[in-house]
């Protein structure tokens, strides 16, 4: 049994997670909260046991991706709400992959939500609360020094690979992967997939009914929020 490094001071608190340093400078602990926000924190609430469900679901997704050769920050889940991860120097860019039209894409281009795209694609958003995470070109990230060309090429390739693997995994469990957001960072000179993969950061629709099984239930006041997270966890656990 590997020894677990000691949890030290909290160095970051975000909308859904807290990050703690550990006695090993290369490792951190992600603590998953129940707090939910939407529309750049203009809407706030809590989703009971969300942290527990997102921690477990992220563990299952990261494990599956690692087994398929995707490099992630995941080390292991420690308990209900804590995950041990490699420390990342986060690239301040959110990487979104889309398979079906929804959310901001539907609005921006005046398309019907639910239209299947002819091919998946990757979008980048600059991580900035005051600017509401604006859509950017990859060239912006290079020009402002947020990532190098080589790093962006790796991020692009990894994002599409994650899409392929997650879509297949979920399809076998009766779930459509509509779109999702990833974050990447550097660890010892390597680009790793970080953050979490869960109904807060992905759109999941039931394949048969197209019922939403993700945070849109909270964003759009659709009810059955906790039930949707439980249902997703049940399906991912198989
Ligand atoms: N997303 C996220 N964090 C953000 C913005 C988006 O996790 O700050 C996820 C969102 O859950 C969805 C995908 O990225 O799965 C695409 O989101 P979109 O651009 O449609 O924005 P939204 O409609 O969520 O504002």
């Amino acid at each position: 049994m590997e020894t677990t490094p000691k949890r030290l001071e909290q160095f970051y608190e975000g909308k859904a997670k807290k990050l703690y340093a550990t006695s090993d400078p290369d490792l951190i602990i992600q603590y998953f909260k129940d707090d939910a926000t939407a529309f750049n924190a203009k809407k706030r609430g809590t989703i009971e046991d969300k942290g527990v469900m997102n921690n477990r679901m992220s563990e299952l997704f990261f494990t599956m991706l690692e087994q398929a050769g995707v490099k992630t920050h995941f080390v292991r889940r420690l308990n209900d709400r804590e995950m041990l991860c490699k420390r990342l120097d986060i690239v301040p860019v959110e990487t979104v992959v889309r398979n079906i039209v929804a959310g901001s894409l539907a609005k921006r281009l005046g398309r019907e939500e639910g239209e299947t795209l002819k091919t998946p694609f990757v979008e980048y958003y600059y991580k900035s609360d005051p600017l509401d995470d604006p859509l950017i070109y990859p060239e912006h990230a290079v020009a402002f020094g947020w990532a190098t060309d080589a790093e962006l090429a790796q991020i692009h390739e990894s994002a599409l690979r994650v899409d392929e693997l997650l879509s297949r995994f979920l399809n076998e469990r009766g779930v459509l992967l509509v779109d999702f957001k990833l974050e990447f960072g550097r660890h010892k000179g390597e680009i790793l997939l970080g953050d979490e993969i869960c109904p807060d950061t992905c759109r999941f629709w039931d394949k048969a009914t197209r019922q939403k099984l993700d945070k849109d239930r909270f964003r759009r006041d659709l009810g059955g929020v906790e039930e949707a997270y439980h249902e997703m966890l049940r399906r991912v656990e198989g």
Side-chain angles (χ1 to χ4, degrees):
M1 182 70 198
E2 290 150 288
T3 52
T4 299
K6 214 167 108 58
R7 191 175 102 172
L8 302 177
E9 80 283 357
Q10 178 186 312
F11 65 92
Y12 176 81
E13 176 156 12
K15 292 163 195 147
K17 293 188 298 295
K18 296 182 202 178
L19 302 182
Y20 294 89
T22 73
S23 49
D24 182 335
D26 289 331
L27 300 176
I28 62 142
I29 289 172
Q30 284 202 128
Y31 176 95
F32 290 74
K33 304 192 284 183
D34 287 348
D35 300 351
T37 63
F39 314 117
N40 197 7
K42 286 182 213 50
K43 181 184 171 88
R44 287 169 185 277
T46 54
I47 298 172
E48 202 185 326
D49 284 341
K50 174 169 83 73
V52 179
M53 294 188 274
N54 286 357
N55 188 20
R56 176 84 178 116
M57 215 182 303
S58 293
E59 173 194 18
L60 292 163
F61 284 137
F62 281 135
T63 303
M64 181 276 285
L65 292 172
E66 284 278 355
Q67 279 166 2
V70 177
K71 291 183 173 175
T72 81
H73 72 155
F74 176 74
V75 178
R76 63 180 179 277
R77 190 169 60 83
L78 298 175
N79 53 48
D80 264 5
R81 288 182 184 271
E82 291 181 325
M83 174 185 284
L84 188 65
C85 301
K86 294 177 182 162
R87 185 186 276 272
L88 297 182
D89 165 27
I90 285 282
V91 173
V93 171
E94 299 196 335
T95 303
V96 167
V97 185
R98 301 184 183 271
N99 297 301
I100 296 175
V101 174
S104 72
L105 177 66
K107 215 182 268 175
R108 191 179 326 118
L109 297 185
R111 308 296 299 205
E112 199 67 36
E113 194 163 85
E115 176 184 351
T116 299
L117 295 162
K118 291 199 168 52
T119 169
F121 62 82
V122 181
E123 292 177 339
Y124 302 98
Y125 294 83
Y126 175 45
K127 267 169 79 77
S128 164
D129 283 341
L131 297 178
D132 260 345
D133 296 350
L135 179 68
I136 58 166
Y137 295 157
E139 285 85 348
H140 289 118
V142 177
F144 288 110
W146 300 327
T148 65
D149 247 331
E151 287 172 338
L152 280 171
Q154 276 181 56
I155 288 173
H156 188 264
E157 191 190 324
S158 175
L160 288 178
R161 179 80 180 124
V162 169
D163 183 47
E164 215 178 276
L165 292 163
L166 275 186
S167 293
R168 192 190 317 148
F169 179 87
L170 289 164
N171 190 54
E172 287 163 3
R173 289 157 177 81
V175 175
L176 291 171
L177 179 61
V178 174
D179 58 29
F180 58 97
K181 184 262 296 182
L182 302 175
E183 297 198 23
F184 293 86
R186 303 170 194 94
H187 178 83
K188 298 185 175 175
E190 233 185 355
I191 288 283
L192 304 182
L193 174 60
D195 198 44
E196 59 182 325
I197 306 176
C198 62
D200 284 14
T201 61
C202 304
R203 286 195 169 94
F204 300 127
W205 292 355
D206 178 80
K207 201 159 91 179
T209 65
R210 296 211 151 197
Q211 190 191 18
K212 296 183 198 309
L213 298 171
D214 56 57
K215 203 168 103 177
D216 272 348
R217 303 206 72 84
F218 168 79
R219 293 188 189 101
R220 303 178 188 186
D221 294 321
L222 299 176
V225 183
E226 278 88 358
E227 291 79 357
Y229 280 66
H230 277 293
E231 177 61 18
M232 270 311 299
L233 183 56
R234 195 184 65 76
R235 294 202 196 184
V236 172
E237 281 183 323

